[in-house]
Every structure is written in C-alpha cells, then in structure tokens.
Amino acid sequence: MGLLDQCQALFNTSSLYGVLGVSKEATDSEIRHSYYKVSLRVHPDRAPEDLQATEKFQVLGKLYAVLSDKEQRAVYDEQGLVAEESDSLQQDQCWEEYWRLLFPKITLKDIQEFERKYKGTEEERQDVMQIYLQHQGDMDAIMASALCCSQEDEPRITALIQTAIQAGELTAYPAFTQESTRKKKTRRQKADEERQEAEEMQREMGLNDADDSLVMMLKQKQKSREQNLNSFLSDLEAKYSKGGKAKAGGKGKKVKTSNP
C-alpha cells in the first residue's frame, strides 16, 4: 500500500497536507510544527491503547520526509504523486529515530506538559475547527483526530464546536447537529473497551505505576518483536545474498492554522 493510500486508511484523507491540517501554501516551519503536533497525538508513548498508533506514527514520518524535501514536495504539489522508491520512504527506516533527530529532547513528560498547556487554547480551538471541517462534522473522526483528546474531553470539544457554529464560524453539518444517540453511545462504549483493554494488559503485566508501566512494557514487547524480525531477515540475507546486514527496522471552509 502506497503512502497516499495509507493516509486515507489511517487518517481519512489521502492529502498529505490534510493529514497535518495545513494548506498547500504552508511554510516549512508550519509543516514542521503541524507534524510535531499530530505526531504527538499518535506517538506510541502518548496512545499505547491505540493499536494503530505505531503505524500512524510511521506514516507521519514518511509524510514529513516528503513535504520537508523540496524536490519531493514539488513533485507532489504538481502531480499529486509520491516517489515511493525514494530512500527517505524505505520500509526499513526507523521512524522513531528519525523523530528523535528532529525533536531530540522530547520525552513522555514533555508530551504530557504539551498536552496540559495546549488544552483550552486558541490554537486548540483552531485545530478542532479545522478537523470539524475536514470530517464534515463526523464526531467519530473528530474525536479520533483531535490532538490530546480522550473520551472525557468530548463534552468540551462538542461545546467548542457548537459555540463556533452559533458564531457563524462553522457550517452546521447534519452529521454533527443530527448525530443519533445510538452513535454517541457506540463511541463511548468503544472508548471504554479500549481503556479497559489497556488496564487489563497493565494488570496482566503486574504493573502499578503509570509512568513506568504500560508504555515501557509495550515498547519492550515491540522492540522484542522487531529484534526477532531483524534477526530472521539477517539470517535470510546471509544465506541468499552476497553479504551485508539488514537495517534495524524500525474540506469545506478553511480555518487559519496557528504558527509555531
């Protein structure tokens, strides 16, 4: 599956700019800032309960690699195509290391601090409005896409959108204004199930402290799987190729986005 198809499957849009919530005219600085914000939302450390978090994080890395490269961005802007064979999009790229090179000082504590300062700001309001327009009022997609949001934030996000609609800043999409009680209930149940699954995994691992617990154990399990895969690939390469080692794997009305 190509990068554009992956974006559609994971972020509900095949537009590289749409995934980041910026316009095609966005500056390099705006793209970098938006990449940082969206990658925080799907970073495996931030969303250990999201089974697709790692995949989303990897796709974001590829996306940013394209848009931060002048030549690749120019081709995408002109033709709507991505050079899948380019070195920057190779499957064995370790996107966690790539992210750390861009943001070397970011820790889980930094992510939590960012979330604390971000919530309730004008920047968050603008981001939510952009996502609302992108998904045409679909609250399932909005809650899945909104930065630093959990099920507990839904009443606050809903109120923010309603206020913007009343002020004439947003279109009143039926998907939002006429959402059924059944759909709301289903969304809450899904969120509850995901939270319970994460808590159950934590109990099974015998962990108590949230700071050390699930995040580190999930990362260790993922690292173990990657090491096993890399060992297997290395054995195959040694057996069937001449030499070398396998690399360690690793819509609607526009709303002005905030500058970094």
Side-chain angles (χ1 to χ4, degrees), residues 37-229:
K37 289 198 302 181
V38 179
S39 63
L40 282 183
R41 171 167 54 82
V42 303
H43 194 288
D45 284 359
R46 171 63 180 80
E49 76 286 352
D50 185 351
L51 300 180
Q52 293 183 311
T54 297
E55 187 177 0
K56 290 176 181 177
F57 186 77
Q58 292 171 342
V59 168
L60 280 173
K62 294 179 183 181
L63 180 157
Y64 182 71
V66 171
L67 295 184
S68 62
D69 183 285
K70 292 184 178 180
E71 293 184 1
Q72 291 191 67
R73 182 178 179 181
V75 171
Y76 175 70
D77 286 349
E78 294 174 6
Q79 304 177 29
L81 301 175
V82 171
E84 302 287 350
E85 71 282 358
S86 65
D87 292 340
S88 61
L89 297 186
Q90 291 305 302
Q91 294 296 322
D92 55 6
Q93 171 89 347
C94 180
W95 296 106
E96 173 71 20
E97 291 181 3
Y98 175 75
W99 194 78
R100 289 293 176 186
L101 288 174
L102 291 172
F103 312 111
K105 297 182 180 180
I106 300 302
T107 65
L108 179 56
K109 184 177 180 180
D110 294 325
I111 294 174
Q112 293 170 336
E113 181 66 10
F114 174 88
E115 178 176 343
R116 184 183 68 80
K117 292 181 178 180
Y118 175 77
K119 286 185 175 181
T121 63
E122 175 63 18
E123 182 176 11
E124 181 192 39
R125 193 178 82 89
Q126 292 289 334
D127 288 345
V128 170
M129 290 168 64
Q130 179 69 42
I131 293 169
Y132 171 87
L133 292 172
Q134 178 182 340
H135 297 293
Q136 299 186 355
D138 184 343
M139 280 299 291
D140 284 351
I142 292 169
M143 291 305 299
S145 302
L147 182 62
C148 301
C149 273
S150 64
Q151 182 62 32
E152 289 71 23
D153 292 295
E154 181 168 336
R156 183 174 63 85
I157 298 301
T158 299
L160 186 158
I161 294 171
Q162 289 173 336
T163 299
I165 291 175
Q166 292 169 359
E169 296 180 273
L170 292 175
T171 299
Y173 288 119
F176 177 80
T177 59
Q178 301 175 23
E179 184 180 43
S180 67
T181 301
R182 180 178 180 180
K183 186 178 179 184
K184 294 178 182 178
K185 183 177 180 180
T186 299
R187 184 166 56 251
R188 285 196 298 270
Q189 290 177 336
K190 181 179 179 181
D192 289 341
E193 289 171 0
E194 290 176 349
R195 182 172 58 254
Q196 290 171 3
E197 181 180 350
E199 292 173 352
E200 182 178 349
M201 289 179 66
Q202 185 171 345
R203 287 194 298 271
E204 289 176 355
M205 294 175 188
L207 302 170
N208 297 313
D209 192 315
D211 288 336
D212 307 319
S213 61
L214 193 55
V215 168
M216 294 307 299
M217 290 303 294
L218 288 177
K219 290 184 71 174
Q220 288 175 5
K221 290 182 68 177
Q222 180 184 353
K223 183 178 181 181
S224 176
R225 289 196 299 270
E226 289 176 350
Q227 288 175 339
N228 291 336
L229 176 59

Side-chain angles (χ1 to χ4, degrees), residues 23-41:
S23 69
K24 185 177 180 180
E25 293 73 31
T27 65
D28 292 342
S29 178
E30 289 172 333
I31 288 175
R32 179 186 173 92
H33 181 62
S34 293
Y35 166 59
Y36 171 68
K37 289 198 302 181
V38 179
S39 63
L40 282 183
R41 171 167 54 82

